Amino acid sequence: MNPLKRTRARPGPACTVTFDGRPLRALPGRTVAAALWAAGVTAWRGTRGTGKPRGVFCGIGVCFDCLVTVNDRPNQRACLVPVRPGDVIRTQRGTGRDDD
Amino acid sequence: MTERPRLAVVGAGPAGLAAALAAASRGVRVILVDAADQAGGQFYRQPAAALGARRPPAPHHRRRTWERLRAGLGRHRAAGRLVHLTDHHVWCVARESGSGGFTVHALRGPGQEEGVTVRADAVVLATGGYERVLPFPGWTLPGVVTAGGAQAMLKGGLVLPGRVAVVAGTGPLLLPVATGLAAAGARVAALVESAGPAAALRRAPALTVRPGTLAEGAGYAARLLRHRVRTLTRHTVVAAHGTGRLEAVTVAALDRAGRPRPGTARRLACDTLAVGHGLLPHTDLAEALGCALSGTAVRVDGEQRTDVPGVWAAGEATGVGGAALALAEGHIAGHSAAARLYGAVPDPRRRAGADRARSRARAFAAALEAVYAPPAGWADGLPDDTVVCRCEEVTAGRVREAAGTLGAGDARTVKLLTRAGMGWCQGRMCGPAVAGLTGCPLTAGRRPFARPVPLGVLAGLPDAE
Ligand SMILES: Cc1cc2nc3c(=O)[nH]c(=O)nc-3n(C[C@H](O)[C@H](O)[C@H](O)COP(=O)(O)OP(=O)(O)OC[C@H]3O[C@@H](n4cnc5c(N)ncnc54)[C@H](O)[C@@H]3O)c2cc1C
Ligand code: FES
């Protein structure tokens, strides 16, 4: 049983966001990380040194592995930032400022 | 004092809630400040309101305690005795020179760009803890998450990272995580615990001081059976495999010295690894205030006072011991702070119940800590090319070199030589690994701020102090 069914959740209507240009449906109340997980995405950052993929690690805002670019603002912690209708979410490479 | 005294409580988990309610019901004006958008902390983390959940996502015990806390919070707020500032990330608590009061500096909202300050006559630090994960090859692959992180995402966002999970590491948190993931629909391929049943048996007398918790453990065991979760004790994850994301893990049995036994390795296919080796206290705010630590936790006296006048601490920040201990400590801290703020000495008889609960829970926590110590030899076999510092991508080999040929004698020197601990997380993730690899003691981080602070917020501060 998926967690929504198990909790008999009645979420508000889903909104649309994009991840690297691809439209995704996201439920209100979820963080960017939760919305991406729900869409089957677990990686949205390339590290600064070797460009290795990363996503959520600690889930509570401590590790900074989940950094992502949302609406052109880099270095947002996806596990803390709530998803909003129309968000443009992009995989963050390096420092996210395209200057590395 | 003509006005009612003001107490700032940082953290709205079990400890902070108990402290806030105890102080508010004794006539103190409480400002409860927390980074999350709802009260509850890690233990009572609730699904986001907009998800409209009508049942908790994981099997929930101590539900009545939560309902009591939530009702108390509502009552005190309605009566104007308590203000709850949600979405406020505290980056520093500073003592005001002269007045003896404190300024709590926070950043508001998920973007954390707007500075907010709160003034108070005293503070309770109830900031909880975060998870310790000891590295292994592949632990940076997407799909590898901390056990508590998987739990937090499930409880708050009602999501799972994948379909087939392995839960591994050591400690009592692995049980609710494994049962929570299974109940939420993941297939839990194995629960891999490095401690052995023998270690628990040796400490059985100490563990029976809290029969309620043992019953809770038995409940988890029954649920693991029901979900057909295989439990491997005295086993560890030696590596995680995958390209781009996790595809499998290799687990192995441990020998008496805590090293993987040759010939016992086996591969388990999974897309999620929830891994943790116990918790570490959040001490940044206390350290910046100059509070003494003992080991990695904030040091407190019988009233939960730190050695800085006007500053109390409670819950995992003062040592890891679970929600029941956090509740008892929080209650004692709130009770003591309220009395002291009115210039009285708290009457110990009025908190006798909480005192007893605290002693029992501390004895139990000490026994658990001994049972669930990470395997002694974990660092010996760690390959040189394993990334240890996730932020700066520093390998085990470079940390060993810094401590060996380059002669670094403490974590700070290792950091300067290798950049391990210099990145975004400020060594919170790699600290235990650097300590284990170099033989240096794990020291608290001495981080200037508990949160990264935008320069604009710093620039906007008045130049007092
Ligand atoms: C990720 C995670 C998940 C866990 N899940 C479980 C579980 O499912 N079951 C279980 O038995 N135990 C769990 N634990 C253990 C849990 O920490 C304790 O048992 C219990 O919640 C401790 O209570 P506390 O009040 O001390 O801290 P917490 O419950 O951790 O509460 C601390 C609060 O302080 C806030 N805070 C911290 N720093 C700041 C700051 N600088 N500014 C503003 N607010 C701040 C946090 O947002 C949090 O709400 C988990 C631990 C972690 C780290
Ligand atoms: S996952 Fe660790 S900060 Fe977001």
Side-chain angles (χ1 to χ4, degrees), chain A residues 60, chain B residues 10-16 33-36 41-43 88-90 126-130 148-149 151 155 173 176 279 285 315-316 322-323 326 450-451:
Chain A
I60 60 167
Chain B
V10 184
V33 192
D34 194 288
Q42 300 306 346
F43 188 75
H88 279 62
H89 300 252
V90 178
T127 45
Y130 59 97
Q151 183 84 333
K155 282 182 177 177
L173 183 57
L279 302 181
L285 297 176
E316 317 257 68
R451 294 282 188 278

Side-chain angles (χ1 to χ4, degrees), chain A residues 1 7 10 30 49-50 57 65, chain B residues 52 54 146 157 184 390 393:
Chain A
M1 211 192 303
T7 54
R10 282 195 202 134
R30 280 189 168 153
T50 58
F57 185 57
D65 252 354
Chain B
R54 287 177 291 159
T146 67
R390 300 174 69 95
E393 302 183 274

Side-chain angles (χ1 to χ4, degrees), chain B residues 48-146:
Chain B
L51 288 171
R54 287 177 291 159
R55 286 187 355 179
H60 201 327
H61 39 91
R62 306 208 198 121
R63 193 166 175 79
R64 252 169 298 157
T65 310
W66 165 241
E67 274 155 13
R68 204 170 55 235
L69 292 169
R70 195 170 49 182
L73 187 63
R75 214 169 38 245
H76 287 300
R77 280 175 67 182
R81 289 183 291 260
L82 186 150
V83 177
H84 181 190
L85 300 178
T86 56
D87 265 320
H88 279 62
H89 300 252
V90 178
W91 55 272
C92 180
V93 179
R95 198 146 47 138
E96 292 165 358
S97 48
S99 74
F102 297 87
T103 309
V104 177
H105 296 275
L107 297 168
R108 188 155 72 183
Q112 297 184 40
E113 285 186 332
E114 184 195 346
V116 176
T117 59
V118 170
R119 300 215 39 259
D121 303 303
V123 254
V124 176
L125 302 173
T127 45
Y130 59 97
E131 213 153 359
R132 168 171 66 188
V133 183
L134 300 173
F136 47 85
W139 75 309
T140 53
L141 277 171
V144 179
V145 295
T146 67

